[in-house]
Amino acid sequence: AINWDNKVLMFLNLVFMVYVFYKVWTLGITVSFYSSNSSLDLKKYKSVLKIYLLDLDSEMASVLTAIGKNPSIRSLYLIKSFQGVKLKHIPTIMDALVNLIQKDDFMLTELYLSENKLKTDIHNFINALGSNQHLQVLDITGNLMGDIGARLLAKALQINNKLKTIIMDRNMITLQGYSDIVYALENN
């Protein structure tokens, strides 16, 4: 481990944030870092990337691809990030998100994908959760995925035993959808 004083850590945070801001067209992006103590073990260093309400449209797929090249990101917040995107770009963006969570060398543990109103566009992503072995927390609140999305989530949960927390209210799921999820969790 390398020992760093607080001034050096703050400078490194600033340099990294400027770099990320430059690389990802930052309007609205914040980057936070967490370290367990004042000594910095670079392998244990994890970062949080928050992207809110960006009007990136078709560029969002490129942003997600660029994010996948940074193996230190552990938490990714994409809250209301797709609301201003034209509908024709959503499938490309969701494909990039699926590719991101399927990368073995990208060990994302938390993904907050809430309030994006993706409806059926979230289905392929949910289906891909079955093969993800790193994600532990998923927030898909407010995506209006319906019972088909709940059924796909149930199927993914039968395979995926790493996901520990799912936040999923405001998704237009009926009792049947929740029953499918409960059955899957009982058989996981």
Side-chain angles (χ1 to χ4, degrees):
I2 302 171
N3 287 323
W4 300 87
D5 66 16
N6 285 338
K7 290 179 185 177
V8 172
L9 281 175
M10 288 173 24
F11 176 74
L12 287 174
N13 280 344
L14 180 62
V15 168
F16 184 75
M17 287 188 326
V18 168
Y19 173 76
V20 170
F21 289 173
Y22 173 75
K23 289 299 234 182
V24 190
W25 307 288
T26 50
L27 242 70
I29 297 177
T30 47
V31 179
S32 310
F33 297 93
Y34 300 99
S35 182
S36 57
N37 54 30
S38 61
S39 68
L40 179 63
D41 182 349
L42 296 177
K43 291 181 181 175
K44 291 182 181 178
Y45 202 59
K46 70 176 186 173
S47 62
V48 176
L49 183 59
K50 298 179 180 183
I51 302 176
Y52 297 100
L53 294 169
L54 288 180
D55 190 15
L56 291 177
D57 219 24
S58 63
E59 294 89 6
M60 183 58 99
S62 299
V63 169
L64 291 173
T65 302
I67 288 169
K69 294 178 182 175
N70 184 343
S72 68
I73 294 176
R74 296 292 181 259
S75 299
L76 179 59
Y77 291 71
L78 297 171
I79 299 170
K80 295 184 179 181
S81 295
F82 305 149
Q83 285 190 359
V85 176
K86 292 180 183 146
L87 291 177
K88 67 180 182 179
H89 298 300
I90 294 289
T92 306
I93 293 168
M94 292 310 292
D95 286 344
L97 189 58
V98 166
N99 290 336
L100 185 69
I101 67 162
Q102 288 183 331
K103 289 180 67 162
D104 290 332
D105 61 342
F106 189 70
M107 296 182 206
L108 189 68
T109 57
E110 298 178 2
L111 177 60
Y112 299 86
L113 191 62
S114 59
E115 306 302 335
N116 285 299
K117 299 179 182 174
L118 293 168
K119 300 179 183 173
T120 59
D121 291 314
I122 199 170
H123 291 173
N124 285 343
F125 168 79
I126 291 172
N127 201 35
L129 289 173
S131 63
N132 183 285
Q133 293 301 305
H134 304 291
L135 206 57
Q136 296 173 15
V137 177
L138 175 66
D139 183 352
I140 51 174
T141 300
N143 280 296
L144 313 173
M145 66 182 184
D147 284 344
I148 294 172
R151 195 167 302 118
L152 291 169
L153 181 60
K155 182 181 173 186
L157 290 174
Q158 287 178 331
I159 302 165
N160 184 328
N161 60 358
K162 299 291 182 188
L163 202 52
K164 302 296 180 207
T165 304
I166 303 170
I167 306 162
M168 53 181 281
D169 58 328
R170 293 190 304 279
N171 271 300
M172 298 177 54
I173 299 172
T174 67
L175 183 57
Q176 180 59 52
Y178 284 114
S179 296
D180 292 341
I181 293 170
V182 167
Y183 178 79
L185 290 173
E186 290 174 343
N187 293 300
N188 182 327

